[in-house]
Amino acid sequence: MQKLERSLGTHNGPFHADEVTACALLLYCDCIDLDKIVRTRDPNKLAQCHFVCDVGGVYDVEALRFDHHQREYTGSKSSAGLVLDYLTQENILSSDFAAYLDREWVKGVDAHDNGKELYERGVLAFSHIIALRVPGRNSAATAEQMDAAFLEAVQFTYALILRMEEQFLEQQSTRAIVKEVMDASLNTDSRLLVFDKNITWVESFFALDGKNHPALFLLMPADKHWKLRAVPPSLERRMEMRCRLPLQWRGLQDAELEKMSGIKGAIFCHKGGFVSVWETKEAAMQAYQKVITENN
């Protein structure tokens, strides 16, 4: 049977994050066209599609079939992870970017679709956000309305991938700078990282074995000012800090913080004790010296 090039078949009815993600990934990689996505469970129509995701009962990379519901498939991936693996193995996506997407996003989609809720009250995961885009099941949505909502979800996810690509490339471009600062600190004060410009740093820091680096704080420009920020113990525990700013500084700003710290040029100290902002680099350095002295 002749297949329609650059087409994709997936199931109709309510949709989920995994096939939305699979479609968006293939669209991002220029493997399919948005107007050639077919939503059906009709095996004859699916047989005419170039790619088939999340329907059909077949996982066969050579045939470009990516379903995970059948008994024969015993892995932990959903159609999202299966498609990401395919794009990586075929060198359509770089392995580094694919690993980033998997770690930061797709792994969670796979887990959720395979019954691992990963739900924390008050936190909306990507899978829940996509579920909210499905027309209400009791609202008698037509097939056309459901298909339109699905395509909107795919375009939303496509835009998300573009933004993640920007973030990934930014992290990659600053990695050499982060390494240089980490190495330089070992020859001066290993507890302090000093950056000359505001950059994305935390992912690169831990990718460069930052977990075993002795840094406690970093100094970095913040708009027209400078910030003194505490370093977390690991990327997984990024909301924790190796050493917090003094309790008596926390939540203060301007004159109150200046009086309490004894440092001219104080602007703000977060109540969580992980970051403070100062008018000049010199003031931020004074703040660092006070913190280190008090914690020795």
Side-chain angles (χ1 to χ4, degrees):
M1 182 178 293
Q2 185 69 31
K3 293 180 181 178
L4 178 62
E5 289 297 315
R6 300 177 59 82
S7 63
L8 179 143
T10 189
H11 64 81
N12 54 3
F15 50 87
H16 312 97
D18 68 319
E19 74 265 22
V20 168
T21 298
C23 290
L25 284 168
L26 289 167
L27 188 65
Y28 165 80
C29 290
D30 196 30
C31 295
I32 64 171
D33 296 320
L34 189 66
D35 62 357
K36 293 178 182 174
I37 294 177
V38 179
R39 302 189 73 234
T40 182
R41 293 185 183 275
D42 185 331
N44 293 321
K45 291 181 179 179
L46 291 173
Q48 299 176 48
C49 294
H50 191 181
F51 291 88
V52 174
C53 296
D54 209 43
V55 71
V58 175
Y59 172 45
D60 184 340
V61 176
E62 291 187 4
L64 303 180
R65 267 47 187 161
F66 302 97
D67 197 11
H68 66 111
H69 295 100
Q70 62 279 10
R71 182 179 299 176
E72 293 77 14
Y73 177 72
T74 58
S76 60
K77 303 290 180 75
S78 68
S79 61
L82 296 179
V83 165
L84 183 63
D85 285 349
Y86 159 76
L87 294 170
T88 309
Q89 293 161 7
E90 295 297 314
N91 295 315
I92 299 171
L93 267 182
S94 75
S95 57
D96 286 344
F97 185 42
Y100 171 80
L101 290 175
D102 191 41
R103 180 178 69 250
E104 300 294 330
W105 173 38
V106 176
K107 191 181 297 292
V109 174
D110 287 341
H112 186 276
D113 200 75
N114 281 297
K116 298 179 181 178
E117 183 63 11
L118 300 178
Y119 179 68
E120 179 181 345
R121 188 174 296 278
V123 178
L124 277 179
F126 175 77
S127 295
H128 300 119
I129 292 171
I130 293 300
L132 288 171
R133 301 184 75 98
V134 179
R137 301 188 182 213
N138 297 323
S139 66
T142 65
E144 290 76 16
Q145 289 171 327
M146 192 68 75
D147 289 348
F150 174 81
L151 293 178
E152 288 175 1
V154 170
Q155 290 171 300
F156 167 81
T157 306
Y158 174 81
L160 174 68
I161 299 172
L162 292 180
R163 182 65 190 96
M164 293 187 75
E165 179 188 37
E166 289 178 8
Q167 188 175 66
F168 170 76
L169 292 175
E170 182 180 357
Q171 290 176 13
Q172 295 294 103
S173 68
T174 60
R175 184 155 299 183
I177 297 173
V178 174
K179 185 178 189 311
E180 182 180 345
V181 169
M182 291 172 67
D183 291 345
S185 72
L186 298 177
N187 298 318
T188 53
D189 182 350
S190 61
R191 298 166 299 182
L192 180 67
L193 305 173
V194 181
F195 293 89
D196 292 329
K197 60 181 180 179
N198 195 331
I199 64 170
T200 300
W201 66 276
V202 68
E203 290 83 2
S204 292
F205 176 74
F206 287 110
L208 294 166
D209 197 32
K211 192 171 183 178
N212 294 312
H213 191 284
L216 299 178
F217 290 94
L218 65 87
L219 280 182
M220 182 181 288
D223 294 326
K224 297 179 180 179
H225 306 299
W226 281 77
K227 65 182 176 183
L228 174 66
R229 192 201 192 285
V231 175
S234 67
L235 193 60
E236 295 75 22
R237 297 166 59 196
R238 62 193 304 167
M239 298 307 293
E240 301 175 34
M241 300 300 136
R242 295 176 178 180
C243 180
R244 292 187 183 272
L245 295 168
L247 180 62
Q248 61 269 28
W249 294 7
R250 300 176 197 173
L252 301 183
Q253 57 185 337
D254 302 327
E256 288 185 338
L257 178 57
E258 189 169 296
K259 181 179 179 180
M260 183 59 68
S261 66
I263 301 171
K264 186 173 178 59
I267 295 177
F268 167 76
C269 182
H270 195 280
K271 66 180 182 180
F274 71 92
V275 67
S276 58
V277 180
W278 308 83
E279 287 186 359
T280 65
K281 181 179 181 181
E282 291 71 24
M285 183 64 78
Q286 289 179 48
Y288 165 72
Q289 294 293 350
K290 277 185 174 287
V291 174
I292 289 300
T293 300
E294 291 180 6
N295 281 278
N296 278 343

